[in-house]
Amino acid sequence: MANSETEPVAQTEKVSAARLSLLSNALLTVIKLTIGLLTNSVGVLSDGVHSASDVMASAIALYTVREADRPPDEDHPY
């Protein structure tokens, strides 16, 4: 179990990791799509589109990590 001093650090690290994942996937997507357009490569373009789905997954992960860090509702029975 984490103590109260390490919990905010762990929460910050989780959010930072999720942000890094989102940013790196977005950058990779832009690079792949740009190279695919410049070279007219269907393979690279399709991989860029696939990377765009990774961006969406990273965005969902960032959202869920932030939501999980919210304090519990006072009126929620569980």
Side-chain angles (χ1 to χ4, degrees), residues 42-66:
V42 176
V44 177
L45 281 172
S46 65
D47 200 40
V49 171
H50 177 259
S51 293
S53 68
D54 292 340
V55 171
M56 293 186 331
S58 295
I60 292 169
L62 177 59
Y63 173 76
T64 56
V65 166
R66 285 182 176 169

Side-chain angles (χ1 to χ4, degrees), residues 12-55:
T12 303
E13 288 176 354
K14 289 186 288 187
V15 172
S16 294
R19 279 188 189 140
L20 178 61
S21 175
L22 178 63
L23 291 174
S24 63
N25 282 327
L27 180 62
L28 186 61
T29 299
V30 169
I31 290 170
K32 286 180 180 181
L33 291 175
T34 302
I35 290 173
L37 289 171
L38 291 174
T39 62
N40 290 326
S41 172
V42 176
V44 177
L45 281 172
S46 65
D47 200 40
V49 171
H50 177 259
S51 293
S53 68
D54 292 340
V55 171

